[in-house]
Amino acid sequence: MREIPDSHPRKASLLARAKLTEAASQGLLAESALIAHGRGEAFDYLLGEKTSESASLAIRETAARLQNAERPVISLNGNTTVLAGEQAIMAAAIIGCPVEVNIYYRTPERMKKLTSTLEETRNKVSQMAPPTGWNSAQWHDSVKSVEVLGADADGRIEGLEGPRAICSSRGIEAADAVLVPLEDGDRCEALVALGKQVLVIDLNPLSRTARMAHVTIVDEVSRAMTELCSALVEKPEISQWDNGQALRDALVIMAQASNQIPS
Amino acid sequence: MREIPDSHPRKASLLARAKLTEAASQGLLAESALIAHGRGEAFDYLLGEKTSESASLAIRETAARLQNAERPVISLNGNTTVLAGEQAIMAAAIIGCPVEVNIYYRTPERMKKLTSTLEETRNKVSQMAPPTGWNSAQWHDSVKSVEVLGADADGRIEGLEGPRAICSSRGIEAADAVLVPLEDGDRCEALVALGKQVLVIDLNPLSRTARMAHVTIVDEVSRAMTELCSALVEKPEISQWDNGQALRDALVIMAQASNQIPS
């Protein structure tokens, strides 16, 4: 990975890019994953590369819904595993739920690599300082008990065809609430149709996923997942949620980027 | 390349993506090229994936400036070669100017592959139907006489360091007007500082390149280059050009995408 000086104003973005190109060369990502990341970069650029107040509200709502669900699960694809795998394991440990590797272009090799990566991440996170309200022993045990599902492949998402329908029977199939950062539109629609609470992180407020989900966090995945961990510790309450407003808020911020052009 | 049905509303975008992932696997592109393309996809999505009236004006202005220049050149990087190599050769044949392979992450292998690709493209274009006003023999000769520069590497762009400064002495170094689709900010700035007319195609109206250039076409590169060929045939006149207006026009269109969210 190239050295990026701390002073660089877009260090986080360049670091994310470096992580992904490295992961791609290791075979963790589908061929279109870098293009998808680039799309996200553009929307994040328009957002000013920071979490908006509106996105923070969506993160709190997501935290509340995950903690109030009976069988929540965090679904992880390649890009999320690479960019926010640590935060996903932390969030799952705080909630007490499994994570599930669930990828659009499913191959046994990529499933294995992503599952192994998350198991290594789990070991690392179990040694880290616990969040507020946890002692080290509790935290270690809770992190270690986070299941990494996906390889089992014994469940189905009804309404989808072929390998895209495959999931874990104890994960997404059984879940009443699913956090799916970076999901595609078809699968988001299928999960909604199954009556699950669908909570997504998507930088494109116009995407089908963003518009179909119950709660859409319009934010970059590693920032959003980091803030989700903080929000989970605070145990917020479920609110009356207007998701269209969250999308419009994001679009207003992106539209205001036009003020940057001198007239 | 996967089959994409003709009926798919985003066929052009998916086809471009397939071309690029194939080119990446053949070693024609730098590792960040797919991410850059994804950023473009996002902005094009907000533009509605069509050439705006404002972009058409910028294309006509670019055509006029290229035809009125003494030593124009079309600079091509990996993504442009893959997505709009044919149109670039056509435009160069109409103008009577060289094209130059000029890439940010310069390696001898990629220079060779891109130069060879453009030489094959030149052969192909020389056999194609001529544009309005040309007969087949004229067109064949004009296309065949388009020089593919870049491998010579005997020139420098003053103001840049290292391999990024390398160019052709008969191309970019000598040019008074450069069409640089998909240029990076540093090089755009250096070319402007050298007093050249810098004409760019950039889907991000907020990028440094878009804001530094004399004329910025905010449009997808293959659409813009196709329309440039038509505009060149019409021989438009140079106008009083307000490039800030072109950028603001693009941002207004992107901002209007917010109307797509039902309230």
Side-chain angles (χ1 to χ4, degrees):
Chain A
M1 219 176 271
R2 290 192 196 87
E3 278 293 316
I4 303 163
D6 283 338
S7 60
H8 197 291
R10 302 190 52 248
K11 176 161 182 157
S13 174
L14 298 179
L15 210 58
R17 197 185 292 178
K19 277 187 190 173
L20 281 176
T21 52
E22 191 163 297
S25 71
Q26 291 168 356
L28 267 74
L29 307 180
E31 57 181 13
S32 58
L34 294 180
I35 294 180
H37 180 70
R39 282 200 301 281
E41 275 190 3
F43 288 109
D44 200 22
Y45 190 90
L46 292 174
L47 278 180
E49 294 179 344
K50 58 178 189 253
T51 304
S52 68
E53 283 180 38
S54 174
S56 287
L57 292 177
I59 290 167
R60 290 180 70 81
E61 184 68 20
T62 297
R65 294 189 183 206
L66 287 170
Q67 280 176 319
N68 283 278
E70 288 187 23
R71 291 175 306 280
V73 64
I74 299 175
S75 174
L76 299 174
N77 71 358
N79 285 15
T80 310
T81 299
V82 172
L83 296 174
E86 264 185 44
Q87 295 94 319
I89 296 284
M90 284 181 197
I94 300 171
I95 299 164
C97 76
V99 299
E100 173 170 344
V101 177
N102 196 261
I103 56 181
Y104 194 76
Y105 297 108
R106 190 181 182 102
T107 69
E109 296 71 30
R110 287 185 54 229
M111 287 298 296
K112 179 82 198 100
K113 284 180 182 175
L114 291 170
T115 306
S116 307
T117 299
L118 285 167
E119 285 164 354
E120 285 166 30
T121 303
R122 183 174 57 190
N123 284 339
K124 188 176 154 198
V125 172
S126 73
Q127 311 293 331
M128 288 164 66
T132 312
W134 297 71
N135 69 42
S136 295
Q138 280 175 330
W139 179 244
H140 180 270
D141 291 351
S142 187
V143 173
K144 282 289 194 181
S145 67
V146 171
E147 281 193 281
V148 179
L149 303 172
D152 39 354
D154 59 349
R156 279 188 57 82
I157 303 171
E158 291 302 326
L160 293 178
E161 301 285 329
R164 288 164 194 175
I166 299 171
C167 69
S168 165
S169 65
R170 292 181 299 132
I172 290 173
E173 187 178 86
D176 58 341
V178 191
L179 174 61
V180 270
L182 318 185
E183 184 54 291
D184 77 281
D186 279 354
R187 290 205 302 194
C188 183
E189 187 168 357
L191 294 172
V192 169
L194 288 167
K196 301 177 194 297
Q197 284 279 323
V198 180
L199 317 164
V200 304
I201 303 173
D202 195 324
L203 274 160
N204 178 359
L206 296 173
S207 77
R208 198 146 56 95
T209 296
R211 296 163 70 168
M212 299 281 302
H214 295 100
V215 181
T216 303
I217 300 167
V218 183
D219 198 17
E220 191 276 326
V221 67
S222 69
R223 286 199 309 268
M225 293 291 285
T226 301
E227 191 165 320
L228 178 68
C229 292
S230 308
L232 285 166
V233 169
E234 293 171 19
K235 298 194 192 304
E237 299 286 322
I238 290 177
S239 73
Q240 289 284 341
W241 183 251
D242 178 353
N243 206 47
Q245 188 58 50
L247 302 182
R248 287 190 296 277
D249 289 344
L251 283 160
V252 166
I253 295 167
M254 292 182 186
Q256 282 168 349
S258 66
N259 295 333
Q260 293 179 41
I261 302 287
S263 52
Chain B
M1 219 176 268
R2 291 191 196 86
E3 278 293 316
I4 303 163
D6 283 337
S7 60
H8 196 292
R10 301 189 54 248
K11 176 160 181 157
S13 174
L14 298 179
L15 211 57
R17 198 184 291 177
K19 277 186 189 173
L20 281 176
T21 52
E22 191 164 298
S25 72
Q26 291 168 358
L28 266 74
L29 308 179
E31 57 180 15
S32 58
L34 294 179
I35 293 179
H37 180 69
R39 282 199 301 280
E41 276 191 1
F43 288 109
D44 200 22
Y45 190 90
L46 292 175
L47 277 180
E49 293 178 346
K50 59 177 190 254
T51 303
S52 69
E53 284 180 37
S54 174
S56 287
L57 292 177
I59 290 167
R60 290 181 69 80
E61 184 67 19
T62 297
R65 293 189 184 207
L66 286 169
Q67 280 175 320
N68 283 277
E70 289 187 22
R71 292 175 304 279
V73 64
I74 300 176
S75 174
L76 299 174
N77 70 359
N79 285 16
T80 310
T81 299
V82 173
L83 295 174
E86 265 185 43
Q87 295 95 318
I89 296 285
M90 285 181 196
I94 300 171
I95 299 163
C97 77
V99 299
E100 174 170 345
V101 178
N102 196 262
I103 56 183
Y104 195 77
Y105 296 108
R106 191 182 180 101
T107 69
E109 296 73 28
R110 286 185 54 230
M111 287 299 295
K112 179 84 199 95
K113 285 180 182 174
L114 291 170
T115 307
S116 307
T117 299
L118 285 166
E119 285 164 355
E120 286 165 30
T121 303
R122 184 175 56 192
N123 284 340
K124 187 176 155 199
V125 172
S126 72
Q127 312 291 333
M128 288 165 65
T132 313
W134 297 69
N135 69 41
S136 293
Q138 281 176 328
W139 180 244
H140 180 269
D141 292 350
S142 187
V143 173
K144 283 288 194 181
S145 68
V146 171
E147 280 193 282
V148 179
L149 303 172
D152 40 352
D154 59 349
R156 281 187 56 83
I157 303 171
E158 291 301 324
L160 294 176
E161 301 286 328
R164 287 163 195 174
I166 298 171
C167 68
S168 164
S169 66
R170 291 180 301 133
I172 290 172
E173 188 179 86
D176 58 340
V178 191
L179 173 61
V180 271
L182 319 183
E183 184 54 292
D184 78 281
D186 277 355
R187 290 204 301 193
C188 182
E189 187 168 356
L191 294 172
V192 170
L194 288 167
K196 301 176 194 298
Q197 284 278 324
V198 181
L199 317 164
V200 303
I201 304 173
D202 195 325
L203 276 159
N204 178 359
L206 296 173
S207 77
R208 200 145 55 94
T209 296
R211 297 163 69 169
M212 298 283 301
H214 295 100
V215 180
T216 303
I217 301 167
V218 183
D219 197 17
E220 191 276 325
V221 67
S222 69
R223 286 199 310 267
M225 291 292 285
T226 301
E227 191 165 320
L228 178 69
C229 291
S230 309
L232 285 165
V233 169
E234 294 171 19
K235 298 196 193 304
E237 299 285 323
I238 290 177
S239 74
Q240 289 284 341
W241 184 251
D242 178 353
N243 206 47
Q245 188 58 49
L247 303 182
R248 287 189 296 275
D249 289 344
L251 283 160
V252 166
I253 295 167
M254 292 183 187
Q256 282 167 349
S258 65
N259 295 336
Q260 293 179 38
I261 301 289
S263 53

